[in-house]
Amino acid sequence: MSENQTTDAQGLSGEIPAEGFPPPPEFAAQANVGADVYERAAADRVGFWEEAARRLDWTQEWDQALDWSNPPFAKWFVGGKLNVAVNCVDRHVEAGHGDQVAYHWVGEPGDTRTITYAQLKDQVCQAANALVELGVQTGDRVAIYLPMIPEAVVSMLACARIGAVHMVVFGGFSPDALASRITDADAHVVITADGGYRRGAPSGLKPNVDEALGKTDGVRNVVVVKRTGQDVDWTEGRDIWWDDLVGRQSTEHEAESFDAEHPLYIMYTSGTTAKPKGVLHTSGGYLTQVSYTHWASFDIKPDTDVFWTAADVGWVTGHSYIVYGPLSNRTTSVMYEGTPDTPHQGRWWEIIAEYGVTVLYTAPTTIRTFMKWGEDVPAKFDLSSLRLLGSVGEPINPEAWLWYHKNIGGGRCPVVDTWWQTETGAHMVNPLPGVTTLKPGAAQSPFPGIGVKVVDEEGNPIEPGATGYLVLTEPWPSMLRTIWGDDERYKDTYWSRYGQGVYFAGDGAKLDEDGDIWLLGRVDDVMNVSGHRISTTEVESALVSHPAVAEAAVVGATDPTTGQGIVAFVILRGNAEDSGEELVKGLRQHVRKEIGPIASPRQIMVVQELPKTRSGKIMRRLLRDVAENRELGDDTTLTDSAVMDQNSAKLPTSQD
Ligand code: PRX
């Protein structure tokens, strides 16, 4: 069981009222959903999701809501047809809302763009025509490697509109990571930009694409958005400027309808092996649950809310709650390109005040960073427009919950902690803001229509007060359908541990005396660093690909800000000449190059040996103890095995 988070509210009893935080009566009175939703969903789970699906426009009604005859391969809304992009854009324009703002986009340097639904429709149609001109066909994969600019959304929707499958790669990933994803997905077109702005400076993306394309075959075209104006290398015949290609297209494009199970996108995520998994999401079920959860969890009022998911579109949170959820609900959103402290630590609060943001969705790691910067920073801004706060990515510790509630939410906004995953596509465990009495630190209740249990090693449900593993006991509409190209891995990874039809989420959980769910972090070899999933094996294999490294072990150690920090232990090859600071720097650089900056270890310790069981398994728990118990500097290099020796008393001799 991972012990990486403080989920106990101990020491905070003075700040947490005994009765918890019941929904403010004015909030409950106007909420989109009331307590009856749980009963309705329990009475007819599949019927409940059918009702949610009817919130969308279908060109053909489904004949079967759920086909679970071949688990774990689910089909939802079988026979139904829809176009996801039309549901997100055209239908709102047709209903007379073309002038409503879809995105208030804010660039890091301070430039802004306001995009209405009518403008978005034109841009999506132009981009769809452009993809068709490049020969992209229904079912083809298109790689998107963009900063947080509106073209990212437009590109995703253009793919959806023509039935192409988008595969967005977070702009912080390295050329190698991009190349392996392009190869695995077999994408022939890449959409990128010259660069984007981060921390006050332009940072290049096109050079990474150029490098990646030296390592993978099959990409015919690279479409390049001009964002920073920096110089880029150009491959004639392959590279084409977005403005040249998209700008000359017609704003008319007739959308075809696709099967509910037509693939919508692939998103790669870390698993317990070095090779990232291509999580596949399809159309009808995904949009149904993303749209409904966005509306219900965040109590979205399309006419008045200004919604902001402060995440990158390159992660699932961005896909579901910057793009598909908000647009399907005709929401006005804020989209911000940069970092929270550029040019000053109040940037987010300034944006909230400027646009009158009503609902903010972010990650605990960011909240803890704001806590470090101090409450006087947000206090300088008018945050009175906010009415609801969301959290995602890792367990929110009660301290951060209370700080967020008080300093950002002014004590009046419900805080909705949402547990879900790339694989689940949408919210799965979270309170409902107009219904649930909130407990700081707990995700609390399964979303209506979602089957969740906490079980022990054998799969038996645990008693209140105990700790176990979170499992999902029923198929859900936005579930992943498989791992791209690897049905076996899909079955093995998620569905083999507890028998047929039970999905193993990889998270530990506790049930409190009221039966509420508290998430405890990953129980497998996956780390959670600033809300990003990184596999220990992936970092290990990056390290051993360095010529100086013979062996490596990586653990996630508790970190007060990022949740977990990456700590690596390496054994050098006999002929390695250097074992000092320079080498450690070089190794860190090597991991950045292989995977990306997010995977760069916080600490790298050079050791003589690694603690192993008799069967040769590295004892990560012991390494985690070492990483967490000792105050070691960032660049600590241990040329002798002092750390291991000092901890050798704890080394069990044989245990698998
Ligand atoms: O460990 C859980 C943690 O993040 C994992 C999923 O990561 P990813 O697929 O990258 O998706 C992140 C955004 C949905 C989960 O297995 N996690 C996510 N949200 C929470 C969480 N842990 C506790 N509480 C949450 N609210």
Side-chain angles (χ1 to χ4, degrees), residues 61 182 197 201 293 296 329 348 356 382 426 449 523 545 559 617 627:
E61 170 93 16
I182 290 173
Y197 289 95
T293 51
N329 288 319
W348 278 26
D382 177 7
V523 292
S545 73
D559 185 289
K617 250 171 101 179

Side-chain angles (χ1 to χ4, degrees), residues 14 16 37 54 100 147 160 164 182 194 208 239 243 266 286 292 301 393 400 411 436 483 496 520 568 628 642 649:
I16 300 177
V37 71
R54 290 203 180 91
Q100 181 176 335
I182 290 173
D194 47 0
N208 291 353
D239 299 349
D243 283 344
I266 302 169
Y286 174 79
Y292 186 80
K301 308 285 194 275
T436 316
I483 290 173
S496 60
L520 301 175
E628 288 175 357

Side-chain angles (χ1 to χ4, degrees), residues 90-113:
D90 303 39
R91 68 172 169 141
H92 308 315
V93 178
E94 276 151 29
H97 300 288
D99 291 339
Q100 181 176 335
V101 173
Y103 292 102
H104 291 290
W105 177 80
V106 183
E108 198 187 73
D111 49 336
T112 58
R113 278 162 73 181

Side-chain angles (χ1 to χ4, degrees), residues 317 393-395 417-422 507 519 522 528 533:
T317 304
E394 55 179 313
D417 175 20
T418 59
W419 178 90
W420 58 294
Q421 306 178 304
T422 304
D507 279 40
L519 274 307
R522 301 288 309 187
N528 189 331
R533 259 162 81 167

